[in-house]
Amino acid sequence: LQIIMLKILKVLTSSKSIVEVDEYVPLTILFEPKDSSATIYWRGGDGKFTLVEIGLSKNTGAVNSVTLTSVSSESVHSVLRSPEIGGDWIEGMPAFDTSCWSEDGDFSSRFIDDFNGEFRFIVGDNNVSLNFGRADSIARYVGSGDVFFGVSSEGVLLSLELMRLDDQKMSVLKGFGNG
């Protein structure tokens, strides 16, 4: 079974993000303006208790949305202080390679699932991080505003960092670690 990871192709101009947090769907990030082409999805997690879904523009690979649909309490890790995005980072939004999605037009071809892995959901003081791989392998960040995508030197997505969340959103997100 081949694991399909998201690989960055280019960096697009920055886009506005809207962050939604609630008790049922832990985290949703919507990016504007949304590309008008069909949305395709990369979904990851364990396929049972954890699921993250990244919506991409079929035409450009631009990120339309990120949704943490469910997270097990075992995947939630609290840290005492918030990390800073340092080192090498590029202003803008990543566009990912969409060539591995099927062209047959069938609804199921809009999805690529990687349910053979787990991710870590790290909750800090006023930030959260979704780690899909080794955080120490992040070579650079691509992002704008308070949303950053950490990628390896080969351009593979390893993390999503969401900074400067308000106390109300953080309170809800911290609650997911109390399983």
Side-chain angles (χ1 to χ4, degrees):
L1 181 66
Q2 181 182 5
I3 296 176
I4 306 290
M5 292 300 297
L6 292 176
K7 187 170 182 177
I8 192 170
L9 284 182
K10 61 185 171 185
V11 177
L12 304 172
T13 58
S14 298
S15 59
K16 179 183 173 191
S17 60
I18 300 168
V19 177
E20 300 171 357
V21 170
D22 69 45
E23 294 84 12
Y24 302 104
V25 177
L27 179 65
T28 301
I29 309 168
L30 303 171
F31 297 95
E32 295 180 345
K34 182 180 174 189
D35 188 299
S36 62
S37 69
T39 300
I40 55 176
Y41 299 92
W42 177 87
R43 300 187 299 191
D46 66 9
K48 296 179 184 171
F49 305 107
T50 59
L51 175 64
V52 63
E53 182 176 82
I54 299 176
L56 305 172
S57 162
K58 176 65 177 159
N59 290 345
T60 66
V63 180
N64 289 335
S65 63
V66 176
T67 304
L68 178 61
T69 302
S70 62
V71 61
S72 70
S73 59
E74 293 81 26
S75 297
V76 179
H77 304 276
S78 294
V79 294
L80 297 177
R81 58 190 174 95
S82 297
E84 293 298 318
I85 299 296
D88 188 14
W89 73 277
I90 300 167
E91 176 76 24
M93 289 302 294
F96 292 99
D97 182 5
T98 61
S99 64
C100 52
W101 272 264
S102 171
E103 295 286 338
D104 69 9
D106 179 353
F107 182 76
S108 65
S109 68
R110 289 186 177 196
F111 300 90
I112 289 184
D113 297 334
D114 178 5
F115 293 145
N116 294 312
E118 292 200 26
F119 56 82
R120 291 170 43 105
F121 185 58
I122 300 168
V123 180
D125 291 342
N126 66 350
N127 73 298
V128 293
S129 175
L130 273 171
N131 288 347
F132 306 106
R134 293 177 47 112
D136 60 356
S137 297
I138 295 173
R140 69 181 186 275
Y141 290 92
V142 177
S144 64
D146 295 331
V147 181
F148 295 87
F149 296 81
V151 296
S152 71
S153 57
E154 295 82 27
V156 174
L157 179 65
L158 297 177
S159 77
L160 172 75
E161 312 285 335
L162 187 55
M163 312 299 278
R164 294 180 281 277
L165 291 168
D166 64 43
D167 290 342
Q168 182 181 6
K169 288 178 180 164
M170 288 307 302
S171 176
V172 172
L173 292 169
K174 287 176 181 177
F176 286 98
N178 299 328

